[in-house]
Short mmCIF file of all heavy atoms in Angstrom, two decimals:
data_model
loop_
_atom_site.label_atom_id
_atom_site.label_comp_id
_atom_site.label_asym_id
_atom_site.label_seq_id
_atom_site.Cartn_x
_atom_site.Cartn_y
_atom_site.Cartn_z
N PRO A 292 -114.97 -35.61 86.25
CA PRO A 292 -115.92 -35.45 87.38
C PRO A 292 -117.20 -36.27 87.15
O PRO A 292 -117.51 -36.75 86.07
CB PRO A 292 -116.24 -33.96 87.38
CG PRO A 292 -116.05 -33.53 85.94
CD PRO A 292 -114.92 -34.37 85.41
N THR A 293 -117.89 -36.45 88.23
CA THR A 293 -119.19 -37.13 88.22
C THR A 293 -120.18 -36.39 87.28
O THR A 293 -120.16 -35.17 87.31
CB THR A 293 -119.77 -37.23 89.62
OG1 THR A 293 -118.93 -38.09 90.39
CG2 THR A 293 -121.19 -37.80 89.64
N LEU A 294 -120.98 -37.14 86.57
CA LEU A 294 -121.98 -36.55 85.68
C LEU A 294 -123.29 -37.33 85.74
O LEU A 294 -123.29 -38.56 85.69
CB LEU A 294 -121.47 -36.57 84.24
CG LEU A 294 -122.41 -36.07 83.16
CD1 LEU A 294 -122.69 -34.57 83.33
CD2 LEU A 294 -121.87 -36.33 81.76
N LYS A 295 -124.36 -36.61 85.94
CA LYS A 295 -125.70 -37.17 85.90
C LYS A 295 -126.35 -36.81 84.58
O LYS A 295 -126.50 -35.62 84.30
CB LYS A 295 -126.54 -36.67 87.07
CG LYS A 295 -126.02 -36.96 88.46
CD LYS A 295 -126.15 -38.43 88.78
CE LYS A 295 -125.71 -38.70 90.24
NZ LYS A 295 -125.83 -40.13 90.57
N VAL A 296 -126.70 -37.78 83.79
CA VAL A 296 -127.36 -37.55 82.47
C VAL A 296 -128.86 -37.82 82.64
O VAL A 296 -129.26 -38.97 82.87
CB VAL A 296 -126.74 -38.42 81.39
CG1 VAL A 296 -127.40 -38.08 80.04
CG2 VAL A 296 -125.27 -38.28 81.33
N ASN A 297 -129.65 -36.79 82.54
CA ASN A 297 -131.11 -36.87 82.73
C ASN A 297 -131.77 -37.06 81.35
O ASN A 297 -131.76 -36.15 80.53
CB ASN A 297 -131.62 -35.65 83.40
CG ASN A 297 -131.04 -35.44 84.80
OD1 ASN A 297 -131.65 -35.79 85.77
ND2 ASN A 297 -129.86 -34.78 84.84
N TRP A 298 -132.33 -38.24 81.15
CA TRP A 298 -133.01 -38.57 79.91
C TRP A 298 -134.27 -39.27 80.21
O TRP A 298 -134.38 -40.15 81.08
CB TRP A 298 -132.16 -39.43 78.98
CG TRP A 298 -132.82 -39.79 77.70
CD1 TRP A 298 -132.84 -39.09 76.53
CD2 TRP A 298 -133.53 -41.01 77.41
NE1 TRP A 298 -133.52 -39.69 75.56
CE2 TRP A 298 -133.99 -40.91 76.04
CE3 TRP A 298 -133.86 -42.14 78.13
CZ2 TRP A 298 -134.73 -41.91 75.46
CZ3 TRP A 298 -134.60 -43.12 77.54
CH2 TRP A 298 -135.02 -43.01 76.20
N SER A 299 -135.32 -38.93 79.41
CA SER A 299 -136.64 -39.59 79.55
C SER A 299 -137.41 -39.50 78.25
O SER A 299 -137.25 -38.49 77.53
CB SER A 299 -137.41 -38.98 80.74
OG SER A 299 -138.74 -39.44 80.74
N VAL A 300 -138.23 -40.47 77.99
CA VAL A 300 -139.11 -40.36 76.81
C VAL A 300 -140.16 -39.25 77.01
O VAL A 300 -140.85 -38.86 76.07
CB VAL A 300 -139.86 -41.72 76.56
CG1 VAL A 300 -138.82 -42.79 76.23
CG2 VAL A 300 -140.66 -42.10 77.74
N ASN A 301 -140.22 -38.75 78.26
CA ASN A 301 -141.13 -37.63 78.56
C ASN A 301 -140.50 -36.26 78.44
O ASN A 301 -141.20 -35.25 78.59
CB ASN A 301 -141.73 -37.80 80.00
CG ASN A 301 -142.46 -39.10 80.14
OD1 ASN A 301 -143.31 -39.43 79.31
ND2 ASN A 301 -142.15 -39.85 81.19
N ASN A 302 -139.16 -36.22 78.24
CA ASN A 302 -138.49 -34.93 78.14
C ASN A 302 -138.83 -34.17 76.89
O ASN A 302 -138.53 -34.64 75.74
CB ASN A 302 -136.99 -35.12 78.28
CG ASN A 302 -136.52 -35.45 79.68
OD1 ASN A 302 -137.32 -35.43 80.60
ND2 ASN A 302 -135.24 -35.69 79.87
N LYS A 303 -139.49 -33.00 77.03
CA LYS A 303 -139.97 -32.26 75.91
C LYS A 303 -139.49 -30.79 75.98
O LYS A 303 -139.20 -30.33 77.04
CB LYS A 303 -141.53 -32.30 75.84
CG LYS A 303 -142.10 -33.69 75.76
CD LYS A 303 -143.64 -33.61 75.77
CE LYS A 303 -144.26 -35.01 75.70
NZ LYS A 303 -145.72 -34.96 75.75
N PRO A 304 -139.44 -30.14 74.82
CA PRO A 304 -139.01 -28.70 74.82
C PRO A 304 -140.16 -27.77 75.21
O PRO A 304 -140.63 -26.94 74.43
CB PRO A 304 -138.58 -28.51 73.35
CG PRO A 304 -139.46 -29.40 72.59
CD PRO A 304 -139.68 -30.61 73.46
N THR A 305 -140.63 -27.94 76.45
CA THR A 305 -141.72 -27.09 76.95
C THR A 305 -141.25 -26.34 78.21
O THR A 305 -140.25 -26.75 78.81
CB THR A 305 -142.96 -27.94 77.27
OG1 THR A 305 -142.61 -28.98 78.18
CG2 THR A 305 -143.55 -28.56 76.00
N SER A 306 -141.93 -25.30 78.53
CA SER A 306 -141.60 -24.51 79.69
C SER A 306 -142.88 -24.11 80.43
O SER A 306 -143.97 -24.21 79.89
CB SER A 306 -140.81 -23.27 79.28
OG SER A 306 -141.59 -22.48 78.37
N PRO A 307 -142.81 -23.72 81.72
CA PRO A 307 -141.57 -23.48 82.49
C PRO A 307 -140.89 -24.80 82.81
O PRO A 307 -141.50 -25.89 82.80
CB PRO A 307 -142.08 -22.78 83.74
CG PRO A 307 -143.45 -23.24 83.92
CD PRO A 307 -144.01 -23.38 82.50
N PHE A 308 -139.63 -24.69 83.20
CA PHE A 308 -138.79 -25.90 83.52
C PHE A 308 -139.38 -26.66 84.67
O PHE A 308 -139.65 -26.11 85.75
CB PHE A 308 -137.36 -25.42 83.83
CG PHE A 308 -136.47 -26.61 84.20
CD1 PHE A 308 -135.90 -27.40 83.20
CD2 PHE A 308 -136.18 -26.90 85.48
CE1 PHE A 308 -135.07 -28.45 83.51
CE2 PHE A 308 -135.35 -27.99 85.81
CZ PHE A 308 -134.79 -28.76 84.82
N ASN A 309 -139.58 -27.97 84.48
CA ASN A 309 -140.02 -28.86 85.52
C ASN A 309 -139.45 -30.27 85.20
O ASN A 309 -140.09 -31.01 84.42
CB ASN A 309 -141.55 -28.89 85.62
CG ASN A 309 -142.04 -29.72 86.81
OD1 ASN A 309 -141.45 -30.70 87.19
ND2 ASN A 309 -143.15 -29.29 87.41
N ALA A 310 -138.30 -30.53 85.78
CA ALA A 310 -137.65 -31.81 85.42
C ALA A 310 -138.47 -33.03 85.72
O ALA A 310 -138.47 -34.02 84.98
CB ALA A 310 -136.29 -31.91 86.18
N ALA A 311 -139.23 -33.01 86.81
CA ALA A 311 -140.01 -34.16 87.23
C ALA A 311 -141.09 -34.54 86.22
O ALA A 311 -141.48 -35.70 86.08
CB ALA A 311 -140.65 -33.92 88.59
N SER A 312 -141.59 -33.54 85.49
CA SER A 312 -142.64 -33.81 84.49
C SER A 312 -142.07 -33.95 83.08
O SER A 312 -142.78 -34.34 82.17
CB SER A 312 -143.68 -32.67 84.51
OG SER A 312 -143.12 -31.48 83.99
N GLY A 313 -140.79 -33.63 82.91
CA GLY A 313 -140.17 -33.72 81.58
C GLY A 313 -140.15 -32.40 80.81
O GLY A 313 -139.69 -32.38 79.68
N ALA A 314 -140.59 -31.37 81.40
CA ALA A 314 -140.58 -30.03 80.76
C ALA A 314 -139.19 -29.44 80.97
O ALA A 314 -138.92 -28.78 81.98
CB ALA A 314 -141.63 -29.12 81.36
N ILE A 315 -138.23 -29.69 80.05
CA ILE A 315 -136.85 -29.26 80.27
C ILE A 315 -136.47 -28.13 79.34
O ILE A 315 -135.26 -27.73 79.32
CB ILE A 315 -135.89 -30.46 80.17
CG1 ILE A 315 -135.90 -30.97 78.70
CG2 ILE A 315 -136.25 -31.57 81.09
CD1 ILE A 315 -134.75 -31.96 78.45
N THR A 316 -137.37 -27.60 78.55
CA THR A 316 -137.09 -26.44 77.67
C THR A 316 -136.28 -26.81 76.46
O THR A 316 -136.65 -26.57 75.33
CB THR A 316 -136.47 -25.27 78.43
OG1 THR A 316 -137.23 -24.99 79.58
CG2 THR A 316 -136.39 -24.02 77.58
N THR A 317 -135.07 -27.37 76.72
CA THR A 317 -134.21 -27.86 75.65
C THR A 317 -133.13 -28.74 76.26
O THR A 317 -133.09 -28.84 77.49
CB THR A 317 -133.56 -26.68 74.90
OG1 THR A 317 -132.83 -27.18 73.75
CG2 THR A 317 -132.58 -25.92 75.83
N SER A 318 -132.30 -29.34 75.44
CA SER A 318 -131.13 -30.10 75.99
C SER A 318 -130.10 -29.09 76.47
O SER A 318 -129.78 -28.08 75.78
CB SER A 318 -130.54 -30.97 74.90
OG SER A 318 -131.45 -31.98 74.49
N PHE A 319 -129.55 -29.32 77.67
CA PHE A 319 -128.55 -28.36 78.19
C PHE A 319 -127.77 -29.01 79.29
O PHE A 319 -128.09 -30.09 79.84
CB PHE A 319 -129.26 -27.15 78.75
CG PHE A 319 -130.12 -27.41 80.00
CD1 PHE A 319 -129.62 -27.14 81.27
CD2 PHE A 319 -131.41 -27.88 79.87
CE1 PHE A 319 -130.39 -27.38 82.37
CE2 PHE A 319 -132.19 -28.11 80.98
CZ PHE A 319 -131.69 -27.85 82.24
N PHE A 320 -126.62 -28.33 79.66
CA PHE A 320 -125.74 -28.76 80.73
C PHE A 320 -125.80 -27.77 81.85
O PHE A 320 -125.87 -26.52 81.60
CB PHE A 320 -124.30 -28.92 80.19
CG PHE A 320 -123.27 -29.14 81.28
CD1 PHE A 320 -123.09 -30.42 81.79
CD2 PHE A 320 -122.48 -28.11 81.73
CE1 PHE A 320 -122.17 -30.62 82.81
CE2 PHE A 320 -121.53 -28.32 82.71
CZ PHE A 320 -121.36 -29.59 83.28
N THR A 321 -125.72 -28.18 83.07
CA THR A 321 -125.75 -27.26 84.20
C THR A 321 -125.00 -27.82 85.39
O THR A 321 -124.75 -29.06 85.47
CB THR A 321 -127.22 -26.99 84.64
OG1 THR A 321 -127.20 -25.99 85.67
CG2 THR A 321 -127.91 -28.25 85.16
#
């Protein structure tokens, strides 16, 4: 199936989750 891999030098283990700012909590699949 189709897969979108979201990666950025701004992606950090911070919360709450906000993909646009890079706050992704941790690496995960959804």
Side-chain angles (χ1 to χ4, degrees):
T293 294
L294 176 66
K295 299 290 186 180
V296 184
N297 298 265
W298 179 86
S299 169
V300 297
N301 300 311
N302 283 358
K303 300 177 181 179
T305 55
S306 58
F308 179 81
N309 186 327
S312 68
I315 66 169
T316 307
T317 187
S318 296
F319 68 96
F320 172 79
T321 185

